[in-house]
Amino acid sequence: MDDAQHQYVDRVATFFTMFGSARAWAEILGWLMICEPAERTQAEIAEDLGLSAGTVSTQLRAHVQLGMVEQVRVRGDRTQRYRLRSGAWFEVMSSELGRIHAMGEIARAAGPVLPQVRPERVTELADLADFFAREWPPLLERMQANLTKGQS
Amino acid sequence: MDDAQHQYVDRVATFFTMFGSARAWAEILGWLMICEPAERTQAEIAEDLGLSAGTVSTQLRAHVQLGMVEQVRVRGDRTQRYRLRSGAWFEVMSSELGRIHAMGEIARAAGPVLPQVRPERVTELADLADFFAREWPPLLERMQANLTKGQS
DNA sequence: GCACAATTTCAGTATTGCCTGAATTCATTG
DNA sequence: CAATGAATTCAGGCAATACTGAAATTGTGC
């Protein structure tokens, strides 16, 4: 891991940390974006980034559960390898749909306490959630079409 | 503030807390969505939610800076009043564009360390950011058209 | 089934960041 | 300009969480 790589990992980590993610989580993400080879063991990641084995285990699991990272099994080698999933970023955008629905739920749950004055404080949120619930799936389709076209 | 209102504030607070926001920040947001009248002073919010004056001051400023809440000056009254901005939720979606550009920057900044193998780990992010940078503005326009239509 | 290495778990420690409460500053009215 | 009340600031306490390091567990290959 040379200076430029270290710098880049730091930049990515700083960026994602701004949104509340753990430092180690973000560093692992940044490193998996640029490391070579793309597949790495937990021990290597720990060594490369100067993190403890425990931290790598925990944060790597978080990445796997989010669908950003996948495990690669190599025959004849007992070590598990991890790498950034192809389509990882797309996955993140797809999962946004769940949060959109949750927003709609929140807005609808306000029924019993809907204010007399300026009820749009709540209804605007409901409209927004409905709008995105409608628009998001076709947007994802266009996005996928756009990406597959670009990689040719 | 009756039981049902308290319950709703708690629900909203729990939801936004999941994304890393401070509890007080989220409670204030939930309360401003349903309180009557819609305009409230810092002292009232502190009293209603059982928060200290300092906390309300700090978190309310955060809301104002994000564009979610606006200050209302009432003539002949020295107390400032605060309320949820009309179009507050729309504002949040608009500001997303800034984060999209930041993502693109991150992807482009990888130039010097672009991996030989599986470079799509980085380029997919760049494509994604470019796609959303293109799609977001028209989406916002459709969204605004949709909302104004609904409120008639 | 055994041995070995990788991974996970977990108790303890460090750190971060929220919240409070009191002192200070600011703004408005008389 | 003085008085009054609201808003802000900030040091300190506290709770939540990230990280470490070592022990326990798991899973391969021989």
Side-chain angles (χ1 to χ4, degrees):
Chain A
M1 185 173 185
D2 62 33
D3 259 12
Q5 287 176 320
H6 195 279
Q7 208 174 328
Y8 188 68
V9 168
D10 188 61
R11 173 160 185 177
V12 172
T14 300
F15 179 73
F16 284 100
T17 299
M18 279 175 29
F19 303 124
S21 79
R23 178 84 196 173
W25 183 93
E27 281 188 13
I28 291 172
L29 176 59
W31 183 223
L32 287 180
M33 283 172 67
I34 59 170
C35 64
E36 305 207 63
E39 295 78 18
R40 293 199 93 75
T41 67
Q42 289 200 11
E44 285 169 353
I45 294 171
E47 167 65 19
D48 296 338
L49 297 173
L51 296 169
S52 74
T55 298
V56 173
S57 173
T58 303
Q59 301 301 336
L60 213 40
R61 178 180 21 259
H63 278 300
V64 171
Q65 283 178 346
L66 281 173
M68 293 286 294
V69 169
E70 62 189 352
Q71 302 175 0
V72 188
R73 306 196 136 279
V74 177
R75 243 182 63 91
D77 189 354
R78 88 183 47 180
T79 64
Q80 187 81 262
R81 289 177 184 282
Y82 297 84
R83 70 172 175 211
L84 208 64
R85 277 187 63 186
S86 117
W89 304 107
F90 178 81
E91 193 66 30
V92 175
M93 291 299 131
S94 300
S95 71
E96 194 68 22
L97 192 57
R99 287 182 283 278
I100 290 169
H101 284 132
M103 292 268 277
E105 297 272 314
I106 289 276
R108 275 187 291 280
V113 292
L114 202 70
Q116 304 283 319
V117 294
R118 293 173 54 80
E120 70 273 17
R121 284 177 280 164
V122 174
T123 58
E124 269 183 12
L125 179 61
D127 291 344
L128 190 81
D130 289 346
F131 173 77
F132 273 97
R134 256 181 288 118
E135 294 275 348
W136 206 250
L139 190 74
L140 290 178
E141 272 178 47
R142 265 178 288 149
M143 177 173 129
Q144 199 157 32
N146 183 78
L147 293 186
T148 52
K149 184 189 61 191
Q151 85 181 36
S152 66
Chain B
M1 185 174 185
D2 62 34
D3 260 13
Q5 288 176 321
H6 194 281
Q7 207 174 328
Y8 188 69
V9 168
D10 187 62
R11 173 161 186 177
V12 172
T14 301
F15 178 73
F16 284 100
T17 299
M18 279 174 30
F19 302 125
S21 79
R23 176 85 197 173
W25 183 94
E27 280 188 14
I28 291 171
L29 176 59
W31 183 223
L32 288 181
M33 283 173 67
I34 60 170
C35 64
E36 305 208 64
E39 295 78 19
R40 294 197 92 74
T41 67
Q42 289 200 11
E44 284 169 352
I45 294 172
E47 168 65 20
D48 296 337
L49 297 174
L51 296 170
S52 75
T55 299
V56 172
S57 174
T58 303
Q59 300 302 335
L60 214 38
R61 180 185 12 264
H63 278 301
V64 171
Q65 283 177 346
L66 281 172
M68 293 287 293
V69 168
E70 63 190 351
Q71 303 176 0
V72 188
R73 305 197 135 279
V74 177
R75 241 180 65 88
D77 190 354
R78 87 183 49 181
T79 62
Q80 187 81 262
R81 290 178 183 282
Y82 296 83
R83 71 173 174 210
L84 208 64
R85 277 187 64 187
S86 117
W89 304 108
F90 177 82
E91 192 66 29
V92 174
M93 291 301 130
S94 301
S95 71
E96 194 68 22
L97 193 56
R99 286 182 283 278
I100 290 169
H101 284 132
M103 293 268 277
E105 296 273 313
I106 289 275
R108 275 187 291 280
V113 293
L114 201 70
Q116 303 283 320
V117 294
R118 291 173 55 82
E120 71 273 17
R121 284 177 280 166
V122 173
T123 59
E124 269 184 11
L125 179 61
D127 292 343
L128 191 80
D130 288 346
F131 173 78
F132 273 97
R134 255 182 289 118
E135 293 276 348
W136 206 251
L139 190 74
L140 291 177
E141 273 179 45
R142 264 177 288 149
M143 176 174 128
Q144 199 157 33
N146 184 78
L147 293 186
T148 52
K149 184 188 63 192
Q151 86 181 34
S152 65

